[in-house]
Amino acid sequence: MKKIKRNGFATMNNDTIEIILEDESVVFSYHDIKNYTLSFNQNIALVLEFKNENSVSIVSSSSFCETSKFELFCREFECEILKRFSEEPIKKENPTKFFEKKWFRAFLVILTLSFGILLVIAIATGTKISSAFFIALSAVITLWVRYSSFKKE
């Protein structure tokens, strides 16, 4: 999927939202939204998934453009969603962090065991252990430290 830089604007009315990106326009009702994801990092991202299985994804990057207006729109959008659906909320999906992925712990265990086996073999055979091995091992240790600090949160 090719990302194309486009200018656009959005309006929120009583029942609908209209997002216009140069040659493309999307109009939808608040009730059409099945779930949404908002991310406020260096990039501001809004992903809307609709009940008809279509989706819209818009990202504003501070590297390429001014993000303050899009950030304001996203915050207003979220306030409006929370107001409208306070009794039966729309599902908000939080972006999955790298350390939250289910396979990450298994990956770390397998990686650590591999390094342990290589170290035992190198010591048993008397092979000289290169500095690249220790650099890679320090990266694995760093991943474990980050993973454990993330789990404590």
Side-chain angles (χ1 to χ4, degrees):
M1 183 168 157
K2 187 176 180 181
K3 304 282 184 186
I4 300 172
K5 181 180 175 183
R6 293 188 270 178
N7 293 321
F9 65 93
T11 57
M12 290 189 287
N13 299 319
N14 289 337
D15 296 324
T16 61
I17 298 173
E18 182 177 18
I19 299 173
I20 300 171
L21 298 171
E22 290 178 355
D23 59 340
E24 189 178 351
S25 176
V26 179
V27 179
F28 55 91
S29 167
Y30 289 100
H31 296 284
D32 294 338
I33 302 170
K34 181 168 76 174
N35 59 46
Y36 69 98
T37 305
L38 276 174
S39 175
F40 297 98
N41 298 314
Q42 181 180 2
N43 298 332
I44 298 171
L46 171 64
V47 179
L48 300 170
E49 292 182 32
F50 301 108
K51 292 176 182 172
N52 65 2
E53 301 303 320
N54 290 335
S55 65
V56 172
S57 176
I58 303 171
V59 178
S60 178
S61 174
S62 61
S63 301
F64 299 107
C65 62
E66 174 60 42
T67 60
S68 61
K69 289 181 182 177
F70 184 59
E71 180 179 0
L72 180 63
F73 170 79
C74 289
R75 293 197 188 278
E76 289 290 326
F77 168 79
E78 186 167 39
C79 287
E80 191 64 31
I81 290 289
L82 293 174
K83 256 194 296 187
R84 287 175 179 269
F85 300 99
S86 58
E87 293 176 14
E88 190 177 315
I90 290 178
K91 181 180 173 189
K92 179 183 179 184
E93 295 183 354
N94 291 323
T96 305
K97 294 181 178 140
F98 186 68
F99 297 113
E100 287 180 333
K101 299 201 185 281
K102 294 178 183 178
W103 55 265
F104 190 74
R105 183 182 173 120
F107 170 74
L108 279 178
V109 169
I110 291 169
L111 198 60
T112 304
L113 289 174
S114 300
F115 273 97
I117 291 169
L118 287 173
L119 186 62
V120 168
I121 291 172
I123 292 171
T125 60
T127 307
K128 182 181 176 190
I129 302 171
S130 71
S131 61
F133 176 83
F134 290 110
I135 292 170
L137 183 61
S138 67
V140 172
I141 292 169
T142 303
L143 285 174
W144 271 110
V145 169
R146 293 282 311 223
Y147 177 75
S148 64
S149 68
F150 173 77
K151 282 298 183 181
K152 288 178 185 175
E153 293 175 2

